[in-house]
Amino acid sequence: MRLIEKVWFNSHPAKCLLVPLLLPLSLLFWLISSLRRLSYKLGVAKSGLLSKPVIVVGNIGVGGNGKTPVVIYLIELTRSLGLTPGVISRGYGGQAPHYPYLVDSNSTAVEAGDEPILIQQRCQVPVAVGSDRIASAELLIKHGCDIIISDDGLQHYRLQRQVELIIVDGKRLFGNGLLLPAGPLREGQWRLATGDLVIYNGKVSDSTNHSFQSIDMTLAPTELCNLQTGDRIALFDFIESHACVNAIAGIGAPQRFFDTLTNYNFVIEKQQSFVDHHSFTLADFKKFDDNMPLLMTEKDAVKCRDFCKSNWWYLPVDATFSQTDQQVLQDKIKAAI
């Protein structure tokens, strides 16, 4: 974990130096972002209304909160309602030949970014990437999509939306509660009350003691998939024969992945964290023994397939909700269509 993240989330002693130094920049960030929001609210800056409904899945902070599993869940939910969903994304880290860029089976993470590739491969759904989310959405509508799911983009006020789902990491929550760069927040916690639904990734003890509606989500793995062959093995069958593993994670909150493995009784021999959206090369894996299984997230796997080894596996996870919370989420979607 980078030092600044330790300051944000773990009350590292360096906070006594860094936070005071960064607070003026946070004040500037607050001023600029507030003026930007106000310009859209007053109509000075123009927002675009699409011909099809838009669901935004976002967060008020930086880092991995669990947006992508929610997007995947929504793809299946909207399909069950008879809709044809499409997904738009910024495509962070990608360098596409043009924008908006329509992801297909031949696209790479270098072109489109890791999350759009993961979503397209897992769900076989139209995905368009680009900084202009309106243009990306219009491209998908031309390809027959009748509902648009935006992976991130809560602060992209130029795109009007019918539903806002705000994802919160139930463990890290809001860190020190400060705006960037002194803290991890893009917007203050007041923003939670303006969304349609807050989804906590992991339960929090005080989730009912606030003025906004919220539900709880759990990320549940069921199997491991081999990067090289595509073979799938049930999680508990894998553990019986390969309890001791190595592990890597290049996501917003790597420790969450390592904790998941230990919670399922894996013994991690060696582990290594990388920054979110890290571009992997074979040199990143020199420290690991080829004879021991190497486990990674599905998001990391899409960037490692070109040089993966036979003993590399990824752990896909699915967003799961209680029956009551499923109904709450479904009602929100139905009201938008």
Side-chain angles (χ1 to χ4, degrees), residues 26-188:
S26 293
L27 179 61
L28 180 61
F29 179 87
W30 170 82
L31 179 62
I32 293 173
S33 59
S34 296
L35 290 174
R36 180 172 171 274
R37 280 191 301 268
L38 184 62
S39 69
Y40 280 104
K41 185 175 182 179
L42 296 178
V44 176
K46 301 298 181 182
S47 59
L49 178 63
L50 298 176
S51 60
K52 304 298 180 182
V54 175
I55 305 169
V56 168
V57 181
N59 54 26
I60 64 170
V62 300
N65 290 18
K67 296 186 300 296
T68 301
V70 174
V71 169
I72 292 171
Y73 183 91
L74 290 173
I75 291 168
E76 299 307 321
L77 174 57
T78 52
R79 282 173 168 167
S80 72
L81 297 175
L83 299 168
T84 303
V87 176
I88 59 175
S89 171
R90 176 64 180 84
Y92 184 86
Q95 296 181 338
H98 57 81
Y99 292 104
Y101 176 72
L102 188 65
V103 180
D104 60 31
S105 58
N106 296 316
S107 300
T108 66
V110 173
E111 296 171 321
D114 44 26
E115 289 159 349
I117 296 295
L118 185 163
I119 292 167
Q120 195 279 331
Q121 291 182 353
R122 167 88 86 96
C123 303
Q124 298 299 302
V125 65
V127 178
V129 301
S131 59
D132 185 343
R133 287 178 172 84
I134 292 178
S136 295
E138 289 176 339
L139 177 62
L140 293 182
I141 292 171
K142 288 180 180 178
H143 279 76
C145 297
D146 53 18
I147 189 164
I148 304 300
I149 302 169
S150 178
D151 182 14
D152 211 354
L154 187 67
Q155 291 78 31
H156 192 79
Y157 290 107
R158 182 168 169 261
L159 175 64
Q160 294 187 32
R161 66 289 306 262
Q162 282 65 50
V163 179
E164 286 186 337
L165 304 177
I166 304 177
I167 317 303
V168 176
D169 187 321
K171 182 177 181 180
R172 299 195 304 172
L173 294 175
F174 314 105
N176 60 15
L178 299 173
L179 294 178
L180 290 166
L185 299 185
R186 302 170 180 171
E187 295 182 284

Side-chain angles (χ1 to χ4, degrees), residues 26-334:
S26 293
L27 179 61
L28 180 61
F29 179 87
W30 170 82
L31 179 62
I32 293 173
S33 59
S34 296
L35 290 174
R36 180 172 171 274
R37 280 191 301 268
L38 184 62
S39 69
Y40 280 104
K41 185 175 182 179
L42 296 178
V44 176
K46 301 298 181 182
S47 59
L49 178 63
L50 298 176
S51 60
K52 304 298 180 182
V54 175
I55 305 169
V56 168
V57 181
N59 54 26
I60 64 170
V62 300
N65 290 18
K67 296 186 300 296
T68 301
V70 174
V71 169
I72 292 171
Y73 183 91
L74 290 173
I75 291 168
E76 299 307 321
L77 174 57
T78 52
R79 282 173 168 167
S80 72
L81 297 175
L83 299 168
T84 303
V87 176
I88 59 175
S89 171
R90 176 64 180 84
Y92 184 86
Q95 296 181 338
H98 57 81
Y99 292 104
Y101 176 72
L102 188 65
V103 180
D104 60 31
S105 58
N106 296 316
S107 300
T108 66
V110 173
E111 296 171 321
D114 44 26
E115 289 159 349
I117 296 295
L118 185 163
I119 292 167
Q120 195 279 331
Q121 291 182 353
R122 167 88 86 96
C123 303
Q124 298 299 302
V125 65
V127 178
V129 301
S131 59
D132 185 343
R133 287 178 172 84
I134 292 178
S136 295
E138 289 176 339
L139 177 62
L140 293 182
I141 292 171
K142 288 180 180 178
H143 279 76
C145 297
D146 53 18
I147 189 164
I148 304 300
I149 302 169
S150 178
D151 182 14
D152 211 354
L154 187 67
Q155 291 78 31
H156 192 79
Y157 290 107
R158 182 168 169 261
L159 175 64
Q160 294 187 32
R161 66 289 306 262
Q162 282 65 50
V163 179
E164 286 186 337
L165 304 177
I166 304 177
I167 317 303
V168 176
D169 187 321
K171 182 177 181 180
R172 299 195 304 172
L173 294 175
F174 314 105
N176 60 15
L178 299 173
L179 294 178
L180 290 166
L185 299 185
R186 302 170 180 171
E187 295 182 284
Q189 295 178 48
W190 59 268
R191 184 68 170 84
L192 301 178
T194 68
D196 294 280
L197 186 65
V198 173
I199 300 177
Y200 284 103
N201 181 2
K203 291 185 178 181
V204 293
S205 58
D206 63 344
S207 61
T208 58
N209 297 327
H210 43 56
S211 59
F212 50 84
Q213 187 176 17
S214 69
I215 61 176
D216 295 326
M217 169 182 74
T218 301
L219 299 182
T222 58
E223 60 186 5
L224 283 113
C225 306
N226 187 275
L227 272 72
Q228 197 172 87
T229 66
D231 291 344
R232 295 172 178 264
I233 299 179
L235 178 61
F236 292 105
D237 290 341
F238 191 97
I239 294 171
E240 284 185 4
S241 56
H242 303 96
C244 192
V245 299
N246 293 319
I248 64 100
I251 56 177
Q255 191 58 45
R256 178 182 285 276
F257 176 65
F258 301 137
D259 289 345
T260 296
L261 296 180
T262 54
N263 288 341
Y264 280 91
N265 296 321
F266 280 107
V267 177
I268 303 177
E269 180 73 17
K270 294 180 181 179
Q271 69 182 50
Q272 186 169 352
S273 301
F274 297 88
V275 296
D276 198 11
H277 305 290
H278 177 72
S279 296
F280 289 99
T281 67
L282 189 57
D284 292 322
F285 302 88
K286 288 182 178 179
K287 66 182 287 185
F288 299 110
D289 181 357
D290 291 344
N291 295 318
M292 183 176 293
L294 176 69
L295 273 51
M296 64 185 68
T297 71
E298 187 174 12
K299 177 177 166 180
D300 295 323
V302 301
K303 295 176 288 188
C304 297
R305 285 199 171 95
D306 289 342
F307 51 82
C308 63
K309 297 185 179 180
S310 60
N311 218 8
W312 292 12
W313 302 78
Y314 69 88
L315 184 71
V317 294
D318 296 308
T320 61
F321 301 89
S322 69
Q323 188 171 355
T324 300
D325 288 348
Q326 286 183 52
Q327 190 61 51
V328 170
L329 185 53
Q330 182 169 299
D331 290 345
K332 294 290 184 183
I333 305 308
K334 284 183 174 180

